[in-house]
Structures are given as C-alpha cells and as structure tokens.
Amino acid sequence: MKQIAKIALLMYIFITQVNAESPQKEEVLKTKIELGHRLFYDADLSINGTMSCATCHEQKRAFTDGNSTHPGVLGDSGKRNIPGLANIGSFKNLTWAHNNLTGLAEQSLMPIKGTSPIEMGMNGNENEIEKRLSQNECYKKLFSIAFSEDKNNINLNNVTLALESFQKTLNSDNSLYDQKIKNKTHLSSKDAQDGEKLFFGTAKCSTCHKAPLFSDDDFHKVEPKNQLSDNKIKDYGLSDITGNEKNKNFFRTPSLRNASLTSPYWHDGSAKTLIEAIQKHDLEINQNLSTKEINKLTAFIETLTDYSFINNPKYSRPNKECNY
Amino acid sequence: MKIALYIGCLCLCLFAQEANLPSELNAWKSLSYVNAAKNSKELPNAMLTLNKTSFVGLHNTPKIEYVTRPDKEGGTVSYGGIFQIRIEENGIYRVVLGNASWIDLSKDGKLIQSVAHNRGEENSGIRKMVDYPLEIGTYTLQLSAGGDSTTALLITKIK
C-alpha cells in the first residue's frame, strides 16, 4: 500500500512538472519559428546582403522562383532548379539528389555556405552572420528566448535550427483535391476527374508521385536512356553524393503539389511546361500517353494548387515591427 | 570705385568655370552622375533623364527610408536608393541596369507591374532589363538589395 502511494505521488509530481514545462516549450518553439521566419527573409545571410532564402523561394510561386536555375550572389550559374517547399518538413530526403542530410538545418548550410556552386557565399565568413545579426535588437531578443540554454546564442548553428523550425510549418493541404478528399466529393471539372483516374490508374503517375505528398520521397532515373550523351551531362544527381555508379542520373521525385505555379520543371528546369515535363518521362512508364490524356493529367495536377498556402501571411515576408 | 568693383565681380564670374581638364579627359564631362536619394525629401535632387545613361551613387540600405517597402529589401550590407523620372508620353519603357539590384517603379504610392524582364548581352555591362507600361507623369524608381555602391542606370522608351 505504501509502495503504491509512493509511486502515485512520484507520478503526480512528474505529470505536474511536464505540464508546467509544456507552455514554456511551446513559447520557445513559437519564438524559434518567428526567428526562422525573419531569417528566411533576411538577405544578411548572404555575403553582400543581396540574397535571402526567399530570393529563390518565393511564396507566390509556392516557394520556387520561376527560373530554370538561379545565379548565386557572385554570379555563379545555378546548378539545379529551385525546388518548392510545400510540406518540406515531411520529407526525409532533401534537395534534388542528396540522401544523407540529417534534416532541414543541415540542408540550409548548402545554399548558405556551399561552394559548388556558390549560392549565398558565406563559406569562411560564418562569423559575419553572427556579427550582423547581433546588431539587431529584435534578433537579440528572439535568439535569447529561442536558445536560452546557449551562452552565445547568436550563431550559425542556431540560425539553421530556427530556419528548420519555420520551414516545418510550411504546410500545404487545402487544394481542390484535398477539399475533395475531406468532403468526400468529386473534382468539379470532367477533365480533372479523368486526369485523376489516369494519374492513379493506367498512367501510373502515382507510382512515384504518391499522395498525400505527391512524391514518394525516393530517387529515380526517369529520362529516356538516350536523351543526352554522357559528355554533355554535367549533373549526375545522386551518384555525385554516393559515389555509386548505379545511382547515376537518379533524382528525387519532386512533389506535384502546386506544380501549376512552379514552372519550369525537372532538376535542371529544362521542361518549360507541365506537358513538356510529362512528355520527358521515360516512355516505358508513359505508355505513350495521347495529347488528350496528357491534357487531362495537367487538369488534375492543377487541382493540387493550394491558394491558401501561397497567400498565408504566416509564411509571407514579416512586418518590420518586432513584438518581442 | 563701384564700377571697378562691379567689373571685378563680373570677371570673377566669367573665370569661375568648372575645373579645366586636360583635353584627353574631355569625354569625362559627358558622364552623367546622379546620387540616389535616401528618402522622399531628397528626391528632387535625384532626377533621372530619359534616354540618358547615368552613373548612379547608391547608399547603404539601413540609411534609406524607401517610399514603398521594396519586395526585396536587401540586408544591412547591401545598397540601394531612390530616384525620380518624368514621363511625357504613354508607352513601354525599359529600365536598364548594370547590376542585379531589385527594381521597383511606382506612381503616387502605387507599384507598377512589369511586363517583361531579361538579362543583358554578355560583355555589354547590362545585368538586367525590366519593362514597364507607363503613362504621362512622375515616377519613383527604387533600387534595393544591390551589391554595389554605384551602378549604371538607363530608362528608355522602347514602344
């Protein structure tokens, strides 16, 4: 009896402690997200103050930028098409061709510090980020709340953690297709309905573009084998990371959410329209889709557009005023 | 005495010219330089001339009070500035820029949407070109998120 009472008391103390910490943890997370939100739009994360994450990841384009590739701060040509960020927190594999990143925090170091190509140009200048952010009163307050356990809390590592917290909030789940699923109804246009049947049926798009992400978060080699001769290919995709010849020309399946807003397509931006992107797939998978069928597929893909996502003020450029 | 003083002043005015440059530097006099405004009060001194390429001076971003908040503001180490231009005829106008600064064009506080944008030819010194449909009036041109404290700027009518 005494033992049971002891255990009950310990459990009570434990639960009370956890409940007391929860609002505090929530406040810390909320502040990390706010901090990450501001940093996402801050061009001081680039060497000459001209590029922020949002320079390439524009909300109105579902966080892509409308170009085949985007040059870096020093004019280096971009290597790959900017991928969208819808539901990025749900992906295990990040970027077009990397299977070894621990998460969004590590991934953000690639554009910030990467040298092949140079994007934001901060390699060797990491201290500069700390110096710039430390001059801003708002950042000082946000970092001190979000990373209270760190003595020198304004540092690049915490910048990446804050960016990760913000990006994990980028949820897109309110397209016409999503509403159809929630309300158990049908898509309104006949073409979109036919396109949906093709997508999940004979066209086999959903083999790789699996709902609900419309990506299987895996790597595939999809272009026809004779598309480009080897000496013209400069980007071998996953094999550049793994060193494994078998991974040559493998790229991660892009999500099709908001695809109507994210042209051009393909890892190098070489497909200018959705129709071109569909036609570029390996003919074996395509099974020689007719023009009519491709048009129906694009009508369906257009129903994956989430206008509330691209207009959500929580993801937009923040106001200058700091409420901290 | 008074007449002598008057003649003296007149001579001073006649001889108080711009600095004499050696003949081999005469072409320097054709350079148009415009210093950007940092705020709306300084705008009258930052007037651009249509069809004339200007070498423009820009300011460190924290010193600028933009008329409208730029879409791409730039960080604390970037450059920008504000200019004015008077348009006398409706048409399509091209803003030609020597660097990658973000361009915003507005009239009476309302942003004008661009209709086309392109890169310049390689080795032309032109980094970007943005086209706008403009009507008669005075426009505010804002440059922001630039990596350079100076650049070349031209506004020209193309249609």
Side-chain angles (χ1 to χ4, degrees), chain A residues 5-36:
Chain A
K6 247 189 207 172
I7 291 167
L9 180 64
L10 281 169
M11 279 184 66
Y12 173 76
I13 293 168
F14 175 74
I15 290 167
T16 313
Q17 189 70 14
V18 166
N19 284 341
E21 281 176 2
S22 288
Q24 203 178 1
K25 276 187 180 164
E26 261 182 51
E27 185 60 29
V28 167
L29 178 58
K30 192 177 145 202
T31 311
K32 258 185 206 167
I33 291 168
E34 169 70 13
L35 177 57

PDB file of all heavy atoms in Angstrom, chain A residues 5-36:
ATOM      1  N   ALA A   5       1.301   4.141  -2.905  1.00  0.00           N
ATOM      2  CA  ALA A   5       1.133   5.573  -2.610  1.00  0.00           C
ATOM      3  C   ALA A   5       2.367   6.354  -3.073  1.00  0.00           C
ATOM      4  O   ALA A   5       2.263   7.448  -3.643  1.00  0.00           O
ATOM      5  CB  ALA A   5       0.907   5.772  -1.113  1.00  0.00           C
ATOM      6  N   LYS A   6       3.550   5.758  -2.825  1.00  0.00           N
ATOM      7  CA  LYS A   6       4.810   6.406  -3.247  1.00  0.00           C
ATOM      8  C   LYS A   6       4.836   6.599  -4.756  1.00  0.00           C
ATOM      9  O   LYS A   6       5.166   7.683  -5.264  1.00  0.00           O
ATOM     10  CB  LYS A   6       5.997   5.512  -2.834  1.00  0.00           C
ATOM     11  CG  LYS A   6       6.898   6.089  -1.755  1.00  0.00           C
ATOM     12  CD  LYS A   6       8.122   5.234  -1.607  1.00  0.00           C
ATOM     13  CE  LYS A   6       8.660   5.373  -0.194  1.00  0.00           C
ATOM     14  NZ  LYS A   6       9.726   4.439   0.093  1.00  0.00           N
ATOM     15  N   ILE A   7       4.486   5.520  -5.470  1.00  0.00           N
ATOM     16  CA  ILE A   7       4.505   5.560  -6.947  1.00  0.00           C
ATOM     17  C   ILE A   7       3.516   6.607  -7.450  1.00  0.00           C
ATOM     18  O   ILE A   7       3.809   7.400  -8.354  1.00  0.00           O
ATOM     19  CB  ILE A   7       4.200   4.160  -7.546  1.00  0.00           C
ATOM     20  CG1 ILE A   7       5.374   3.208  -7.251  1.00  0.00           C
ATOM     21  CG2 ILE A   7       3.983   4.263  -9.056  1.00  0.00           C
ATOM     22  CD1 ILE A   7       5.060   1.752  -7.517  1.00  0.00           C
ATOM     23  N   ALA A   8       2.335   6.612  -6.815  1.00  0.00           N
ATOM     24  CA  ALA A   8       1.288   7.564  -7.230  1.00  0.00           C
ATOM     25  C   ALA A   8       1.772   8.991  -7.034  1.00  0.00           C
ATOM     26  O   ALA A   8       1.586   9.875  -7.884  1.00  0.00           O
ATOM     27  CB  ALA A   8       0.006   7.320  -6.437  1.00  0.00           C
ATOM     28  N   LEU A   9       2.476   9.230  -5.909  1.00  0.00           N
ATOM     29  CA  LEU A   9       2.983  10.579  -5.628  1.00  0.00           C
ATOM     30  C   LEU A   9       4.032  10.990  -6.631  1.00  0.00           C
ATOM     31  O   LEU A   9       4.026  12.110  -7.156  1.00  0.00           O
ATOM     32  CB  LEU A   9       3.562  10.608  -4.196  1.00  0.00           C
ATOM     33  CG  LEU A   9       4.127  11.972  -3.762  1.00  0.00           C
ATOM     34  CD1 LEU A   9       3.005  13.010  -3.728  1.00  0.00           C
ATOM     35  CD2 LEU A   9       4.802  11.878  -2.395  1.00  0.00           C
ATOM     36  N   LEU A  10       4.947  10.049  -6.928  1.00  0.00           N
ATOM     37  CA  LEU A  10       6.008  10.341  -7.907  1.00  0.00           C
ATOM     38  C   LEU A  10       5.409  10.650  -9.276  1.00  0.00           C
ATOM     39  O   LEU A  10       5.848  11.575  -9.967  1.00  0.00           O
ATOM     40  CB  LEU A  10       6.970   9.148  -8.011  1.00  0.00           C
ATOM     41  CG  LEU A  10       8.010   9.036  -6.888  1.00  0.00           C
ATOM     42  CD1 LEU A  10       8.707   7.690  -6.953  1.00  0.00           C
ATOM     43  CD2 LEU A  10       9.032  10.169  -6.956  1.00  0.00           C
ATOM     44  N   MET A  11       4.379   9.871  -9.639  1.00  0.00           N
ATOM     45  CA  MET A  11       3.735  10.092 -10.941  1.00  0.00           C
ATOM     46  C   MET A  11       3.077  11.455 -10.971  1.00  0.00           C
ATOM     47  O   MET A  11       3.133  12.161 -11.970  1.00  0.00           O
ATOM     48  CB  MET A  11       2.700   8.994 -11.214  1.00  0.00           C
ATOM     49  CG  MET A  11       3.342   7.712 -11.738  1.00  0.00           C
ATOM     50  SD  MET A  11       2.127   6.471 -12.168  1.00  0.00           S
ATOM     51  CE  MET A  11       1.298   7.195 -13.543  1.00  0.00           C
ATOM     52  N   TYR A  12       2.446  11.820  -9.867  1.00  0.00           N
ATOM     53  CA  TYR A  12       1.770  13.119  -9.775  1.00  0.00           C
ATOM     54  C   TYR A  12       2.775  14.255  -9.958  1.00  0.00           C
ATOM     55  O   TYR A  12       2.547  15.201 -10.724  1.00  0.00           O
ATOM     56  CB  TYR A  12       1.049  13.251  -8.424  1.00  0.00           C
ATOM     57  CG  TYR A  12       0.481  14.648  -8.208  1.00  0.00           C
ATOM     58  CD1 TYR A  12      -0.682  15.050  -8.860  1.00  0.00           C
ATOM     59  CD2 TYR A  12       1.136  15.550  -7.364  1.00  0.00           C
ATOM     60  CE1 TYR A  12      -1.183  16.324  -8.679  1.00  0.00           C
ATOM     61  CE2 TYR A  12       0.631  16.825  -7.180  1.00  0.00           C
ATOM     62  CZ  TYR A  12      -0.529  17.207  -7.827  1.00  0.00           C
ATOM     63  OH  TYR A  12      -1.023  18.475  -7.647  1.00  0.00           O
ATOM     64  N   ILE A  13       3.928  14.116  -9.265  1.00  0.00           N
ATOM     65  CA  ILE A  13       4.967  15.149  -9.354  1.00  0.00           C
ATOM     66  C   ILE A  13       5.477  15.242 -10.793  1.00  0.00           C
ATOM     67  O   ILE A  13       5.657  16.332 -11.348  1.00  0.00           O
ATOM     68  CB  ILE A  13       6.132  14.869  -8.371  1.00  0.00           C
ATOM     69  CG1 ILE A  13       5.650  15.023  -6.934  1.00  0.00           C
ATOM     70  CG2 ILE A  13       7.329  15.785  -8.646  1.00  0.00           C
ATOM     71  CD1 ILE A  13       6.612  14.503  -5.888  1.00  0.00           C
ATOM     72  N   PHE A  14       5.690  14.068 -11.414  1.00  0.00           N
ATOM     73  CA  PHE A  14       6.214  14.024 -12.785  1.00  0.00           C
ATOM     74  C   PHE A  14       5.243  14.701 -13.760  1.00  0.00           C
ATOM     75  O   PHE A  14       5.641  15.544 -14.568  1.00  0.00           O
ATOM     76  CB  PHE A  14       6.450  12.558 -13.191  1.00  0.00           C
ATOM     77  CG  PHE A  14       6.867  12.413 -14.637  1.00  0.00           C
ATOM     78  CD1 PHE A  14       8.155  12.773 -15.040  1.00  0.00           C
ATOM     79  CD2 PHE A  14       5.986  11.922 -15.588  1.00  0.00           C
ATOM     80  CE1 PHE A  14       8.532  12.643 -16.367  1.00  0.00           C
ATOM     81  CE2 PHE A  14       6.372  11.793 -16.908  1.00  0.00           C
ATOM     82  CZ  PHE A  14       7.645  12.150 -17.309  1.00  0.00           C
ATOM     83  N   ILE A  15       3.957  14.344 -13.646  1.00  0.00           N
ATOM     84  CA  ILE A  15       2.960  14.902 -14.579  1.00  0.00           C
ATOM     85  C   ILE A  15       2.831  16.412 -14.392  1.00  0.00           C
ATOM     86  O   ILE A  15       2.750  17.175 -15.351  1.00  0.00           O
ATOM     87  CB  ILE A  15       1.586  14.194 -14.402  1.00  0.00           C
ATOM     88  CG1 ILE A  15       1.706  12.745 -14.933  1.00  0.00           C
ATOM     89  CG2 ILE A  15       0.473  14.941 -15.137  1.00  0.00           C
ATOM     90  CD1 ILE A  15       0.554  11.842 -14.548  1.00  0.00           C
ATOM     91  N   THR A  16       2.861  16.842 -13.113  1.00  0.00           N
ATOM     92  CA  THR A  16       2.772  18.282 -12.845  1.00  0.00           C
ATOM     93  C   THR A  16       3.950  19.011 -13.469  1.00  0.00           C
ATOM     94  O   THR A  16       3.799  20.090 -14.057  1.00  0.00           O
ATOM     95  CB  THR A  16       2.765  18.569 -11.322  1.00  0.00           C
ATOM     96  OG1 THR A  16       1.842  17.678 -10.705  1.00  0.00           O
ATOM     97  CG2 THR A  16       2.402  20.001 -11.013  1.00  0.00           C
ATOM     98  N   GLN A  17       5.135  18.415 -13.346  1.00  0.00           N
ATOM     99  CA  GLN A  17       6.359  19.013 -13.893  1.00  0.00           C
ATOM    100  C   GLN A  17       6.264  19.144 -15.418  1.00  0.00           C
ATOM    101  O   GLN A  17       6.563  20.184 -15.990  1.00  0.00           O
ATOM    102  CB  GLN A  17       7.559  18.118 -13.510  1.00  0.00           C
ATOM    103  CG  GLN A  17       8.919  18.713 -13.808  1.00  0.00           C
ATOM    104  CD  GLN A  17       9.251  19.883 -12.891  1.00  0.00           C
ATOM    105  OE1 GLN A  17       8.598  20.100 -11.877  1.00  0.00           O
ATOM    106  NE2 GLN A  17      10.231  20.666 -13.280  1.00  0.00           N
ATOM    107  N   VAL A  18       5.811  18.041 -16.055  1.00  0.00           N
ATOM    108  CA  VAL A  18       5.690  18.037 -17.529  1.00  0.00           C
ATOM    109  C   VAL A  18       4.698  19.100 -17.981  1.00  0.00           C
ATOM    110  O   VAL A  18       4.954  19.853 -18.913  1.00  0.00           O
ATOM    111  CB  VAL A  18       5.256  16.634 -18.028  1.00  0.00           C
ATOM    112  CG1 VAL A  18       4.805  16.698 -19.482  1.00  0.00           C
ATOM    113  CG2 VAL A  18       6.415  15.650 -17.872  1.00  0.00           C
ATOM    114  N   ASN A  19       3.558  19.168 -17.271  1.00  0.00           N
ATOM    115  CA  ASN A  19       2.532  20.161 -17.638  1.00  0.00           C
ATOM    116  C   ASN A  19       3.047  21.585 -17.464  1.00  0.00           C
ATOM    117  O   ASN A  19       2.724  22.484 -18.237  1.00  0.00           O
ATOM    118  CB  ASN A  19       1.265  19.961 -16.811  1.00  0.00           C
ATOM    119  CG  ASN A  19       0.486  18.767 -17.318  1.00  0.00           C
ATOM    120  OD1 ASN A  19       0.679  18.317 -18.442  1.00  0.00           O
ATOM    121  ND2 ASN A  19      -0.368  18.214 -16.481  1.00  0.00           N
ATOM    122  N   ALA A  20       3.874  21.802 -16.430  1.00  0.00           N
ATOM    123  CA  ALA A  20       4.422  23.142 -16.192  1.00  0.00           C
ATOM    124  C   ALA A  20       5.405  23.510 -17.288  1.00  0.00           C
ATOM    125  O   ALA A  20       5.501  24.667 -17.696  1.00  0.00           O
ATOM    126  CB  ALA A  20       5.105  23.190 -14.831  1.00  0.00           C
ATOM    127  N   GLU A  21       6.160  22.523 -17.796  1.00  0.00           N
ATOM    128  CA  GLU A  21       7.175  22.798 -18.821  1.00  0.00           C
ATOM    129  C   GLU A  21       6.545  23.014 -20.187  1.00  0.00           C
ATOM    130  O   GLU A  21       7.095  23.712 -21.024  1.00  0.00           O
ATOM    131  CB  GLU A  21       8.156  21.618 -18.925  1.00  0.00           C
ATOM    132  CG  GLU A  21       9.207  21.611 -17.826  1.00  0.00           C
ATOM    133  CD  GLU A  21      10.104  20.380 -17.910  1.00  0.00           C
ATOM    134  OE1 GLU A  21       9.933  19.569 -18.839  1.00  0.00           O
ATOM    135  OE2 GLU A  21      10.958  20.239 -17.028  1.00  0.00           O
ATOM    136  N   SER A  22       5.340  22.415 -20.433  1.00  0.00           N
ATOM    137  CA  SER A  22       4.751  22.452 -21.776  1.00  0.00           C
ATOM    138  C   SER A  22       4.519  23.856 -22.293  1.00  0.00           C
ATOM    139  O   SER A  22       4.901  24.144 -23.425  1.00  0.00           O
ATOM    140  CB  SER A  22       3.455  21.644 -21.807  1.00  0.00           C
ATOM    141  OG  SER A  22       3.766  20.288 -21.729  1.00  0.00           O
ATOM    142  N   PRO A  23       3.869  24.771 -21.530  1.00  0.00           N
ATOM    143  CA  PRO A  23       3.684  26.132 -22.055  1.00  0.00           C
ATOM    144  C   PRO A  23       5.036  26.788 -22.359  1.00  0.00           C
ATOM    145  O   PRO A  23       5.178  27.531 -23.322  1.00  0.00           O
ATOM    146  CB  PRO A  23       2.965  26.881 -20.934  1.00  0.00           C
ATOM    147  CG  PRO A  23       2.355  25.819 -20.109  1.00  0.00           C
ATOM    148  CD  PRO A  23       3.226  24.618 -20.222  1.00  0.00           C
ATOM    149  N   GLN A  24       6.052  26.489 -21.533  1.00  0.00           N
ATOM    150  CA  GLN A  24       7.373  27.081 -21.739  1.00  0.00           C
ATOM    151  C   GLN A  24       7.968  26.562 -23.056  1.00  0.00           C
ATOM    152  O   GLN A  24       8.516  27.332 -23.842  1.00  0.00           O
ATOM    153  CB  GLN A  24       8.290  26.692 -20.579  1.00  0.00           C
ATOM    154  CG  GLN A  24       9.440  27.650 -20.375  1.00  0.00           C
ATOM    155  CD  GLN A  24      10.298  27.258 -19.187  1.00  0.00           C
ATOM    156  OE1 GLN A  24      10.046  26.248 -18.525  1.00  0.00           O
ATOM    157  NE2 GLN A  24      11.329  28.023 -18.937  1.00  0.00           N
ATOM    158  N   LYS A  25       7.837  25.242 -23.262  1.00  0.00           N
ATOM    159  CA  LYS A  25       8.366  24.644 -24.503  1.00  0.00           C
ATOM    160  C   LYS A  25       7.644  25.212 -25.707  1.00  0.00           C
ATOM    161  O   LYS A  25       8.241  25.472 -26.749  1.00  0.00           O
ATOM    162  CB  LYS A  25       8.180  23.122 -24.468  1.00  0.00           C
ATOM    163  CG  LYS A  25       9.277  22.392 -23.730  1.00  0.00           C
ATOM    164  CD  LYS A  25       9.128  20.889 -23.868  1.00  0.00           C
ATOM    165  CE  LYS A  25      10.261  20.201 -23.110  1.00  0.00           C
ATOM    166  NZ  LYS A  25      10.021  18.786 -22.859  1.00  0.00           N
ATOM    167  N   GLU A  26       6.339  25.409 -25.523  1.00  0.00           N
ATOM    168  CA  GLU A  26       5.542  25.965 -26.632  1.00  0.00           C
ATOM    169  C   GLU A  26       6.027  27.369 -26.978  1.00  0.00           C
ATOM    170  O   GLU A  26       6.111  27.734 -28.149  1.00  0.00           O
ATOM    171  CB  GLU A  26       4.073  26.064 -26.206  1.00  0.00           C
ATOM    172  CG  GLU A  26       3.235  24.907 -26.714  1.00  0.00           C
ATOM    173  CD  GLU A  26       1.770  25.047 -26.325  1.00  0.00           C
ATOM    174  OE1 GLU A  26       1.195  26.117 -26.576  1.00  0.00           O
ATOM    175  OE2 GLU A  26       1.244  24.070 -25.757  1.00  0.00           O
ATOM    176  N   GLU A  27       6.320  28.137 -25.957  1.00  0.00           N
ATOM    177  CA  GLU A  27       6.777  29.518 -26.158  1.00  0.00           C
ATOM    178  C   GLU A  27       8.119  29.523 -26.877  1.00  0.00           C
ATOM    179  O   GLU A  27       8.352  30.337 -27.777  1.00  0.00           O
ATOM    180  CB  GLU A  27       6.890  30.220 -24.795  1.00  0.00           C
ATOM    181  CG  GLU A  27       7.235  31.695 -24.876  1.00  0.00           C
ATOM    182  CD  GLU A  27       6.219  32.537 -25.643  1.00  0.00           C
ATOM    183  OE1 GLU A  27       5.024  32.181 -25.657  1.00  0.00           O
ATOM    184  OE2 GLU A  27       6.641  33.518 -26.278  1.00  0.00           O
ATOM    185  N   VAL A  28       8.999  28.608 -26.484  1.00  0.00           N
ATOM    186  CA  VAL A  28      10.320  28.512 -27.126  1.00  0.00           C
ATOM    187  C   VAL A  28      10.158  28.146 -28.595  1.00  0.00           C
ATOM    188  O   VAL A  28      10.776  28.755 -29.476  1.00  0.00           O
ATOM    189  CB  VAL A  28      11.206  27.475 -26.388  1.00  0.00           C
ATOM    190  CG1 VAL A  28      12.437  27.125 -27.209  1.00  0.00           C
ATOM    191  CG2 VAL A  28      11.626  28.001 -25.021  1.00  0.00           C
ATOM    192  N   LEU A  29       9.282  27.170 -28.871  1.00  0.00           N
ATOM    193  CA  LEU A  29       9.086  26.743 -30.259  1.00  0.00           C
ATOM    194  C   LEU A  29       8.486  27.873 -31.090  1.00  0.00           C
ATOM    195  O   LEU A  29       8.911  28.130 -32.209  1.00  0.00           O
ATOM    196  CB  LEU A  29       8.178  25.503 -30.309  1.00  0.00           C
ATOM    197  CG  LEU A  29       7.862  24.994 -31.729  1.00  0.00           C
ATOM    198  CD1 LEU A  29       9.133  24.642 -32.495  1.00  0.00           C
ATOM    199  CD2 LEU A  29       6.924  23.786 -31.673  1.00  0.00           C
ATOM    200  N   LYS A  30       7.519  28.556 -30.497  1.00  0.00           N
ATOM    201  CA  LYS A  30       6.861  29.671 -31.205  1.00  0.00           C
ATOM    202  C   LYS A  30       7.901  30.744 -31.549  1.00  0.00           C
ATOM    203  O   LYS A  30       7.901  31.299 -32.650  1.00  0.00           O
ATOM    204  CB  LYS A  30       5.791  30.249 -30.276  1.00  0.00           C
ATOM    205  CG  LYS A  30       4.822  31.213 -30.931  1.00  0.00           C
ATOM    206  CD  LYS A  30       3.762  31.665 -29.925  1.00  0.00           C
ATOM    207  CE  LYS A  30       3.402  33.134 -30.207  1.00  0.00           C
ATOM    208  NZ  LYS A  30       2.828  33.831 -29.094  1.00  0.00           N
ATOM    209  N   THR A  31       8.804  30.998 -30.638  1.00  0.00           N
ATOM    210  CA  THR A  31       9.836  32.014 -30.870  1.00  0.00           C
ATOM    211  C   THR A  31      10.839  31.543 -31.918  1.00  0.00           C
ATOM    212  O   THR A  31      11.289  32.330 -32.751  1.00  0.00           O
ATOM    213  CB  THR A  31      10.574  32.349 -29.559  1.00  0.00           C
ATOM    214  OG1 THR A  31       9.613  32.599 -28.546  1.00  0.00           O
ATOM    215  CG2 THR A  31      11.468  33.557 -29.715  1.00  0.00           C
ATOM    216  N   LYS A  32      11.174  30.256 -31.876  1.00  0.00           N
ATOM    217  CA  LYS A  32      12.099  29.706 -32.892  1.00  0.00           C
ATOM    218  C   LYS A  32      11.493  29.870 -34.286  1.00  0.00           C
ATOM    219  O   LYS A  32      12.196  30.222 -35.239  1.00  0.00           O
ATOM    220  CB  LYS A  32      12.325  28.206 -32.644  1.00  0.00           C
ATOM    221  CG  LYS A  32      13.632  27.880 -31.978  1.00  0.00           C
ATOM    222  CD  LYS A  32      13.863  26.394 -31.851  1.00  0.00           C
ATOM    223  CE  LYS A  32      14.801  26.190 -30.667  1.00  0.00           C
ATOM    224  NZ  LYS A  32      14.928  24.868 -30.183  1.00  0.00           N
ATOM    225  N   ILE A  33      10.192  29.600 -34.375  1.00  0.00           N
ATOM    226  CA  ILE A  33       9.503  29.712 -35.666  1.00  0.00           C
ATOM    227  C   ILE A  33       9.524  31.165 -36.132  1.00  0.00           C
ATOM    228  O   ILE A  33       9.805  31.456 -37.301  1.00  0.00           O
ATOM    229  CB  ILE A  33       8.067  29.164 -35.565  1.00  0.00           C
ATOM    230  CG1 ILE A  33       8.091  27.646 -35.365  1.00  0.00           C
ATOM    231  CG2 ILE A  33       7.248  29.545 -36.788  1.00  0.00           C
ATOM    232  CD1 ILE A  33       6.747  27.047 -34.975  1.00  0.00           C
ATOM    233  N   GLU A  34       9.217  32.089 -35.226  1.00  0.00           N
ATOM    234  CA  GLU A  34       9.234  33.526 -35.560  1.00  0.00           C
ATOM    235  C   GLU A  34      10.632  33.942 -36.002  1.00  0.00           C
ATOM    236  O   GLU A  34      10.804  34.673 -36.989  1.00  0.00           O
ATOM    237  CB  GLU A  34       8.781  34.328 -34.331  1.00  0.00           C
ATOM    238  CG  GLU A  34       8.995  35.824 -34.410  1.00  0.00           C
ATOM    239  CD  GLU A  34       8.094  36.536 -35.411  1.00  0.00           C
ATOM    240  OE1 GLU A  34       7.119  35.919 -35.875  1.00  0.00           O
ATOM    241  OE2 GLU A  34       8.394  37.691 -35.758  1.00  0.00           O
ATOM    242  N   LEU A  35      11.624  33.465 -35.300  1.00  0.00           N
ATOM    243  CA  LEU A  35      13.014  33.792 -35.638  1.00  0.00           C
ATOM    244  C   LEU A  35      13.368  33.233 -37.016  1.00  0.00           C
ATOM    245  O   LEU A  35      13.932  33.934 -37.863  1.00  0.00           O
ATOM    246  CB  LEU A  35      13.942  33.203 -34.563  1.00  0.00           C
ATOM    247  CG  LEU A  35      15.448  33.355 -34.758  1.00  0.00           C
ATOM    248  CD1 LEU A  35      15.843  34.808 -34.909  1.00  0.00           C
ATOM    249  CD2 LEU A  35      16.205  32.732 -33.582  1.00  0.00           C
ATOM    250  N   GLY A  36      13.007  31.969 -37.230  1.00  0.00           N
ATOM    251  CA  GLY A  36      13.278  31.338 -38.524  1.00  0.00           C
ATOM    252  C   GLY A  36      12.565  32.048 -39.656  1.00  0.00           C
ATOM    253  O   GLY A  36      13.099  32.200 -40.755  1.00  0.00           O
TER     254      GLY A  36
END
